[in-house]
Amino acid sequence: MGNRLAIVWALLVLAVGVHQIRFWRSARLETDILALLPEDEQAPEVGAATRKLADESGRQLVLLVGAPDWESAQRAAEAATEVLSKAGAPLEPARVDATALDAAVEFYRPYRDRLLTPAQRAWLARATSEELGGTALMKLYQPAGPRLTNWSDDPLGLWPDWWAARAAENEARPRDGRLWLSGEGREWVLLTWQSQVSAFALGDDAKVTAAVERARAAVGAIPGGRLVAAGVPLYAEAAASQASREISTIGLGSLVAVLLLVWLTFRSLRPIVLVGVSLMIGCAVALSVTALLFDRVHLLTLVFGASLVGVAEDYGFHYFAARQGKPAAERGRVMRFLLPGMLLALLTSVLAYLALGLTPFPGLRQMAVFAAAGLVGAFLTVLCWFPTFDLGDLPVTAFAERVSASLSRWPRITSEKRWWPAMAGLLVVSAGGLWRLETRDDIRQLQGAPANLLEDQRELGRLLGLPSPAQLFLVEGEDEEQVLQREVSLKQRLDALVADGVLTGYRAVSDWLPPAAQQRADAELSARAEQQAVAAVAAATGEEPSRARFVNDILTPARFLSSPAAPAIRQQWLGPLGKNQYSVLMLRGIAGPSVLSRLAEAARGLEGVRWVDKTEEISRLLGRYRRIMGGLIVAGYLAVLVTLVARFKREAWRAWVPSVLGTLLTLAFFGWTGEPLQLFTVLGLLLLLGMGVDYGIFLLEHPGDGSAWLAVALAGVSTLLSFGLLGLSATPALRTFGLAMLVGEVTIWILTPCFRMPPGKDIT
């Protein structure tokens, strides 16, 4: 029977190996921290809007090259361009269509009469015939120069101001064949490059980042030169490099530590090889199952999975600890003897991990599947292969004897009065820490991007006046016309906030595509004003100029979206989502967090207009699921207690209480140290439930058995090493998770033998 199981498992492992080869040849790895977080299930259109905005810039790399004067800035831009062109990175200059502006002007020309800014609309409504005529005469006798239209096509010179308003959405202006802006004591050249591959396909070799740094050095060689760079490719490479380092540190560090423990305990190559094989197969199974169930594997899943090494080796430890000192012929009996406890431990751990799958967090579902599949893979390797390949003798070592014998010297907590002060002190410490415990669910605490990237992003946004992708208005309507009309209503309120300095401006689709009703009204307004102006000019000059004719058709969304002008604003037109149409109005130059409430107030009472503060929404979502998972922990402890009672009857509390105390003391530790309670802290506590109970299960299954304590001791130390290293992660989410696991595991590991059964007592 054993040989057949070994063969079947070998075939499955072979299939996993084949899948691993295919996976790493075409690996699709996710790097965005926000992919760990849930969609707002009550507003899927918000997720669609933010995804579309992100997709538009997914490959883009934006650089500002500055110097104290324009000539030096041009030289610096040439130096940066030369370095990036020769860098060997998957970059290419963004294609700039030199004729795009001319094509957009020609597209709009037939509709010029219905394209007015709010200021123009207000002036035309109140201007007298004398004012209109004077303006028209001034425009007529202006010195000849470049013009968008003939005088007869635009006698009041309205159109240049409309284009100037569109250009104000971006601070960069054409100059000597480049895009230029001035700010913060420098003249700047705007360079736009793009990755030839998806940002999520960039590896951990950081070629794009290296190329940018070489360009930065070349620019720095010019006196006063400075380069500022931002873009998703840089963040993706930083995440990939960080994850690669952490996988090596956590995974390899844990593996080396585990194998060293195995050598110290058993002084045999066979346990090292077999435990190492069980760990590698467990991780391979975990990755294959995750890749088959999910479209893209998140890098943080791999980093989190690296800590699996600290848990999956428990089964091998228990086998070899029980196998020590027994002849090889008894290895099957040893496995059968251990199987009930190992199965119960596997069940509680897998259930704890899979509880993560109850959350709507895509990344956490991946982590749950990865960990649960990895544990099952490691367990099946131990069950199917260890009795088959463990053929030699395994003598008891001096190190193993000392550890096994230490159980008898471990203090045992009883109901005697001498333990009462210690228990009272423990309660006081716990209560004090819990009283000081604070919750903080701000998503910004989970940002793990390098500080230099964040600083460059802020500076570039400040110089270019870029709109914020985190705060925006989502506009909904039954049809396209209603969406545009609702945008106009919203802009009327925002104009007052711009005047108050709450923000510097906004970008709206209706600026480029006015609603039909407004087009008709503006066409009538401009026609009346321009006819008066032309008549005044005729009276003053004695000539008979005439106003140009314009089309009667309305500029429709379908016509606009297929035009050369559409790329400037297309990313903000979401189009149909379900039954309704949607657009996004983006904001520029928000004065600070203190004004967000005033912006939210601007949407109040406007039907179909929703204020979206993605940062605040995600933070609220984190808080909500932190509370849900907290309730799940309580329910989980009750469910585990019921399971333990079914197996251990009245002694079940001995395996259960250490985990409860470990959870309370971990929360107290966070309170005393000022570490805030976050969702990822709670998730760590949830896993403590499954893994911490394992120690008590094995000590109750084999009361007084030194080999069981040896296995528990080794498992505890290796788990501490794994999650201790996870606490060193540069990713805040993993760091707080690892810290919770580290403190909790230490506490549970120390307390569990204190609640072991007295000698001679039976679990029944």
Side-chain angles (χ1 to χ4, degrees):
M1 181 64 179
N3 289 334
R4 286 199 295 272
L5 284 176
I7 293 172
V8 171
W9 184 238
L11 293 175
L12 291 174
V13 170
L14 180 62
V16 169
V18 171
H19 178 267
Q20 291 286 296
I21 295 173
R22 293 179 177 176
F23 173 81
W24 289 111
R25 283 180 177 174
S26 59
R28 302 185 66 192
L29 299 177
E30 176 69 78
T31 61
D32 185 4
I33 185 67
L34 295 182
L36 291 172
L37 303 175
E39 298 281 352
D40 187 342
E41 63 273 15
Q42 297 178 347
E45 62 275 7
V46 175
T50 52
R51 277 195 304 272
K52 183 167 184 177
L53 293 174
D55 291 344
E56 292 287 337
S57 58
R59 298 185 184 219
Q60 195 173 60
L61 184 67
V62 179
L63 303 98
L64 278 177
V65 182
D69 57 82
W70 177 237
E71 184 179 346
S72 298
Q74 288 180 296
R75 290 203 314 273
E78 291 170 0
T81 301
E82 183 178 2
V83 170
L84 292 174
S85 299
K86 298 178 180 178
L91 289 172
E92 61 183 3
R95 294 181 179 89
V96 178
D97 187 355
T99 65
L101 178 58
D102 293 337
V105 170
E106 289 305 313
F107 167 75
Y108 274 124
R109 192 179 298 280
Y111 309 99
R112 196 280 307 161
D113 63 328
R114 64 213 60 191
L115 300 174
L116 300 177
T117 66
Q120 289 173 335
R121 194 174 297 118
W123 177 66
L124 292 178
R126 70 172 185 269
T128 64
S129 298
E130 290 76 12
E131 289 177 306
L132 295 170
T135 301
L137 280 170
M138 182 185 65
K139 298 293 183 182
L140 178 64
Y141 291 119
Q142 272 183 344
R147 290 183 177 180
L148 290 175
T149 65
N150 297 323
W151 180 88
S152 61
D153 292 331
D154 187 17
L156 294 174
L158 299 173
W159 210 18
D161 290 342
W162 186 85
W163 278 106
R166 303 291 74 74
E169 295 176 359
N170 192 323
E171 298 293 334
R173 299 288 183 271
R175 181 177 179 181
D176 297 335
R178 297 183 182 276
L179 288 175
W180 155 84
L181 62 96
S182 181
E184 299 187 357
R186 284 185 172 88
E187 305 297 307
W188 300 88
V189 177
L190 174 63
L191 302 176
T192 307
W193 289 66
Q194 63 184 17
S195 174
Q196 296 170 331
V197 298
S198 167
F200 301 114
L202 294 170
D204 59 0
D205 49 4
K207 291 182 179 179
V208 174
T209 303
V212 170
E213 291 306 312
R214 287 196 294 272
R216 196 189 304 273
V219 170
I222 296 173
R226 174 168 169 74
L227 183 147
V228 180
V232 175
L234 295 176
Y235 284 93
E237 283 194 344
S241 298
Q242 177 180 303
S244 178
R245 291 192 300 271
E246 292 183 357
I247 289 171
S248 300
T249 302
I250 298 169
L252 294 179
S254 300
L255 182 61
V256 169
V258 167
L259 297 182
L260 180 61
L261 280 174
V262 174
W263 171 255
L264 287 174
T265 305
F266 303 111
R267 296 298 177 94
S268 173
L269 185 61
R270 190 170 65 257
I272 292 178
V273 171
L274 288 177
V275 170
V277 166
S278 71
L279 295 179
M280 287 187 290
I281 291 177
C283 290
V285 169
L287 181 56
S288 290
V289 171
T290 304
L292 290 172
L293 293 180
F294 297 89
D295 179 59
R296 182 179 284 137
V297 179
H298 202 290
L299 280 171
L300 289 186
T301 301
L302 300 183
V303 176
F304 173 84
S307 66
L308 186 66
V309 172
V311 184
E313 87 290 343
D314 290 6
Y315 312 115
F317 281 163
H318 283 286
Y319 171 81
F320 282 111
R323 166 79 169 78
Q324 221 176 16
K326 296 182 176 62
E330 294 188 21
R331 60 190 187 276
R333 187 185 64 80
V334 168
M335 180 59 72
R336 289 190 295 273
F337 173 70
L338 295 174
L339 192 56
M342 290 172 65
L343 280 173
L344 185 59
L346 175 68
L347 177 63
T348 56
S349 296
V350 168
L351 286 177
Y353 275 118
L354 289 181
L356 297 179
L358 298 177
T359 70
F361 289 61
L364 295 181
R365 289 194 190 114
Q366 278 197 20
M367 293 180 184
V369 170
F370 190 101
L375 287 179
V376 172
F379 171 80
L380 290 176
T381 302
V382 172
L383 176 66
C384 299
W385 282 5
F386 277 32
T388 300
F389 297 110
D390 177 29
L391 299 177
D393 293 332
L394 194 65
V396 178
T397 64
F399 178 82
E401 281 188 324
R402 286 196 297 271
V403 174
S404 299
S406 67
L407 179 62
S408 61
R409 297 189 295 273
W410 207 276
R412 188 198 309 274
I413 296 175
T414 65
S415 58
E416 296 176 5
K417 290 184 178 181
R418 63 189 180 93
W419 284 103
W420 291 7
M423 292 295 100
L426 196 64
L427 290 175
V428 170
V429 169
S430 299
L434 292 174
W435 179 261
R436 295 169 57 91
L437 187 64
E438 296 180 355
T439 60
R440 197 177 304 157
D441 302 302
D442 192 343
I443 180 60
R444 285 166 289 201
Q445 294 184 81
L446 304 182
Q447 292 292 336
N452 65 308
L453 285 184
L454 295 175
E455 179 57 35
D456 271 14
Q457 181 78 46
R458 283 191 288 265
E459 184 174 359
L460 191 141
R462 191 168 59 247
L463 287 167
L464 287 175
L466 297 177
S468 168
Q471 288 86 28
L472 49 88
F473 288 97
L474 186 68
V475 184
E476 174 187 3
E478 295 179 0
D479 52 35
E480 296 148 327
E481 178 67 12
Q482 191 176 63
V483 171
L484 296 172
Q485 289 174 348
R486 287 174 173 176
E487 277 195 4
V488 170
S489 300
L490 173 62
K491 290 192 299 182
Q492 292 171 353
R493 295 189 178 184
L494 293 180
D495 287 338
L497 296 180
V498 171
D500 289 346
V502 173
L503 67 159
T504 60
Y506 50 78
R507 284 172 49 100
V509 177
S510 55
D511 291 335
W512 297 78
L513 175 65
Q518 184 173 300
Q519 289 185 50
R520 295 188 184 97
D522 286 351
E524 292 177 4
L525 180 62
S526 63
R528 184 169 60 251
E530 289 175 1
Q531 285 167 358
Q532 293 178 31
V534 169
V537 169
T541 63
E543 299 179 2
E544 296 184 0
S546 61
R547 178 178 183 263
R549 294 178 179 273
F550 296 96
V551 297
N552 291 324
D553 290 344
I554 294 299
L555 177 56
T556 62
R559 193 174 301 165
F560 168 76
L561 291 172
S562 61
S563 75
I569 201 72
R570 181 180 284 122
Q571 65 173 351
Q572 292 178 226
W573 184 257
L574 303 183
L577 293 173
K579 295 181 179 180
N580 292 339
Q581 301 277 338
Y582 292 87
S583 73
V584 170
L585 188 147
M586 302 187 71
L587 307 172
R588 294 186 290 112
I590 298 175
S594 61
V595 304
L596 295 181
S597 59
R598 295 188 63 184
L599 290 168
E601 187 67 25
R604 194 178 303 278
L606 291 180
E607 187 176 358
V609 176
R610 170 173 172 164
W611 164 247
V612 177
D613 184 349
K614 198 63 179 174
T615 302
E616 180 61 25
E617 284 192 7
I618 293 175
S619 298
R620 284 201 304 267
L621 208 59
L622 288 175
R624 179 151 58 95
Y625 283 102
R626 172 181 52 78
R627 293 186 290 272
I628 291 174
M629 297 305 290
L632 188 61
I633 288 178
V634 175
Y637 268 110
L638 294 177
V640 166
L641 179 60
V642 170
T643 305
L644 293 174
V645 168
R647 173 64 179 167
F648 300 118
K649 305 299 186 293
R650 296 196 309 188
E651 301 300 327
W653 65 274
R654 297 183 181 276
W656 187 75
V657 168
S659 291
V660 174
L661 292 176
T663 297
L664 293 176
L665 288 172
T666 301
L667 291 173
F669 172 84
F670 273 66
W672 285 114
T673 58
E675 282 286 330
L677 181 65
Q678 304 171 359
L679 174 65
F680 287 88
T681 314
V682 176
L683 295 176
L685 299 179
L686 180 63
L687 299 189
L688 278 179
L689 166 62
M691 293 187 295
V693 169
D694 288 357
Y695 304 152
I697 289 174
F698 283 111
L699 291 183
L700 283 181
E701 281 284 348
H702 313 289
D705 188 343
S707 66
W709 168 240
L710 172 64
V712 166
L714 295 178
V717 172
S718 62
T719 301
L720 297 181
L721 288 172
S722 297
F723 288 106
L725 291 172
L726 193 62
L728 299 176
S729 172
T731 303
L734 288 178
R735 186 168 61 247
T736 187
F737 177 88
L739 184 60
M741 291 297 298
L742 175 64
V743 175
E745 280 289 319
V746 168
T747 306
I748 294 171
W749 183 70
I750 291 174
L751 289 176
T752 298
C754 296
F755 288 89
R756 68 190 185 276
M757 286 197 303
K761 191 170 184 179
D762 190 83
I763 63 172
T764 58

